[in-house]
Coordinates of all heavy atoms in Angstrom, one line a residue:
Chain B
I1353 N 129.9 89.7 59.6 CA 130.2 90.9 58.8 C 130.6 90.5 57.3 O 130.2 91.1 56.4 CB 131.4 91.7 59.4 CG1 130.9 92.3 60.8 CG2 132.0 92.7 58.5 CD1 132.0 92.8 61.7
I1354 N 131.3 89.3 57.2 CA 131.8 88.9 55.9 C 130.5 88.5 55.1 O 130.4 88.7 53.9 CB 132.7 87.6 56.0 CG1 134.1 88.2 56.5 CG2 132.9 86.9 54.7 CD1 135.0 87.1 56.9
E1355 N 129.5 87.9 55.8 CA 128.2 87.5 55.1 C 127.4 88.8 54.8 O 126.3 88.6 54.3 CB 127.4 86.6 56.0 CG 128.0 85.2 56.0 CD 127.2 84.3 57.0 OE1 125.9 84.4 57.0 OE2 127.8 83.6 57.8
G1356 N 127.8 90.0 55.2 CA 127.0 91.1 55.0 C 125.9 91.3 56.0 O 125.0 92.1 55.8
K1357 N 126.0 90.6 57.1 CA 124.9 90.7 58.1 C 125.3 91.6 59.3 O 126.6 91.8 59.5 CB 124.6 89.3 58.7 CG 123.9 88.4 57.7 CD 123.4 87.1 58.3 CE 122.8 86.2 57.3 NZ 123.1 84.8 57.6
E1358 N 124.3 92.0 60.1 CA 124.6 92.9 61.2 C 125.3 92.1 62.3 O 124.8 91.0 62.8 CB 123.2 93.4 61.7 CG 123.2 94.5 62.7 CD 123.7 95.8 62.2 OE1 123.8 96.1 60.9 OE2 124.1 96.6 63.0
P1359 N 126.4 92.5 62.8 CA 127.1 91.8 63.9 C 126.3 91.9 65.2 O 125.5 92.8 65.4 CB 128.4 92.4 64.1 CG 128.3 93.8 63.5 CD 127.2 93.7 62.4
I1360 N 126.5 91.0 66.1 CA 125.9 91.0 67.4 C 126.5 92.1 68.3 O 127.7 92.1 68.6 CB 126.0 89.6 68.1 CG1 125.5 88.4 67.3 CG2 125.4 89.6 69.5 CD1 126.0 87.1 67.6
A1361 N 125.6 93.0 68.8 CA 126.1 94.1 69.6 C 126.3 93.6 71.1 O 125.3 93.0 71.6 CB 125.2 95.3 69.6
F1362 N 127.4 93.7 71.7 CA 127.6 93.4 73.1 C 128.5 94.4 73.8 O 129.4 95.0 73.1 CB 128.0 91.9 73.3 CG 129.4 91.6 72.7 CD1 130.6 91.8 73.4 CD2 129.5 91.1 71.4 CE1 131.8 91.5 72.9 CE2 130.7 90.8 70.8 CZ 131.9 91.0 71.5
D1363 N 128.4 94.6 75.0 CA 129.3 95.5 75.8 C 130.5 94.9 76.3 O 130.5 93.7 76.6 CB 128.5 96.0 77.0 CG 127.7 97.3 76.7 OD1 128.2 98.1 75.9 OD2 126.6 97.4 77.3
H1364 N 131.6 95.6 76.2 CA 132.9 95.1 76.8 C 133.8 96.3 76.8 O 133.6 97.3 76.2 CB 133.4 94.0 75.8 CG 133.8 94.6 74.5 ND1 135.0 94.8 74.0 CD2 132.9 94.9 73.4 CE1 134.9 95.3 72.8 NE2 133.7 95.4 72.4
D1365 N 134.8 96.1 77.6 CA 135.9 97.2 77.7 C 137.2 96.6 78.0 O 138.0 96.3 77.2 CB 135.5 98.4 78.6 CG 136.4 99.5 78.5 OD1 137.2 99.5 77.6 OD2 136.3 100.5 79.3
C1366 N 137.4 96.3 79.3 CA 138.8 95.9 79.8 C 139.1 94.5 79.3 O 140.3 94.2 79.1 CB 138.9 96.0 81.3 SG 137.9 94.7 82.1
R1367 N 138.1 93.6 79.3 CA 138.3 92.2 79.0 C 139.2 91.5 80.0 O 139.9 90.5 79.6 CB 138.8 92.0 77.5 CG 137.7 92.5 76.5 CD 137.8 91.7 75.2 NE 136.7 92.2 74.3 CZ 136.4 91.5 73.3 NH1 137.0 90.3 73.0 NH2 135.5 91.9 72.5
E1368 N 139.4 92.1 81.1 CA 140.2 91.4 82.1 C 139.4 91.3 83.5 O 140.0 91.1 84.5 CB 141.6 92.0 82.3 CG 141.6 93.5 82.5 CD 143.0 94.0 82.6 OE1 143.9 93.3 82.1 OE2 143.2 95.2 83.0
G1369 N 138.1 91.5 83.4 CA 137.3 91.2 84.6 C 137.3 92.3 85.6 O 137.0 92.1 86.8
I1370 N 137.6 93.5 85.3 CA 137.7 94.6 86.2 C 136.8 95.8 86.0 O 136.6 96.6 86.9 CB 139.1 95.1 86.5 CG1 139.8 95.5 85.2 CG2 140.0 94.0 87.2 CD1 141.1 96.2 85.4
C1371 N 136.3 95.9 84.8 CA 135.6 97.2 84.5 C 134.1 97.1 84.7 O 133.5 98.1 84.9 CB 135.9 97.7 83.0 SG 135.1 96.7 81.8
G1372 N 133.5 95.9 84.5 CA 132.1 95.8 84.7 C 131.3 96.1 83.5 O 130.0 96.2 83.6
M1373 N 131.9 96.2 82.4 CA 131.1 96.5 81.2 C 130.4 95.3 80.5 O 129.3 95.3 80.0 CB 132.0 97.2 80.1 CG 132.1 98.7 80.1 SD 130.4 99.5 80.3 CE 129.9 99.5 78.6
C1374 N 131.1 94.2 80.6 CA 130.6 93.0 79.9 C 129.5 92.3 80.7 O 129.3 92.6 81.9 CB 131.7 92.0 79.6 SG 132.4 91.3 81.1
G1375 N 128.8 91.4 80.1 CA 127.7 90.7 80.9 C 126.6 90.2 80.0 O 126.1 91.0 79.2
A1376 N 126.2 89.0 80.1 CA 125.0 88.5 79.4 C 124.6 87.2 80.1 O 125.3 86.6 80.9 CB 125.3 88.2 77.9
M1377 N 123.3 86.8 79.9 CA 122.8 85.6 80.5 C 123.3 84.5 79.5 O 123.0 84.5 78.4 CB 121.3 85.6 80.6 CG 120.8 86.7 81.5 SD 121.3 86.7 83.2 CE 120.2 85.5 83.9
V1378 N 124.0 83.5 80.1 CA 124.5 82.4 79.3 C 123.8 81.1 79.8 O 124.0 80.8 81.0 CB 126.0 82.2 79.4 CG1 126.5 81.0 78.7 CG2 126.7 83.5 78.9

Side-chain angles (χ1 to χ4, degrees):
Chain B
I1353 292 166
I1354 289 169
E1355 286 175 45
K1357 291 185 184 149
E1358 192 65 21
I1360 302 160
F1362 62 88
D1363 269 325
H1364 61 104
D1365 190 8
C1366 71
R1367 297 208 177 195
E1368 53 185 11
I1370 56 169
C1371 75
M1373 270 312 280
C1374 65
M1377 300 300 278
V1378 176

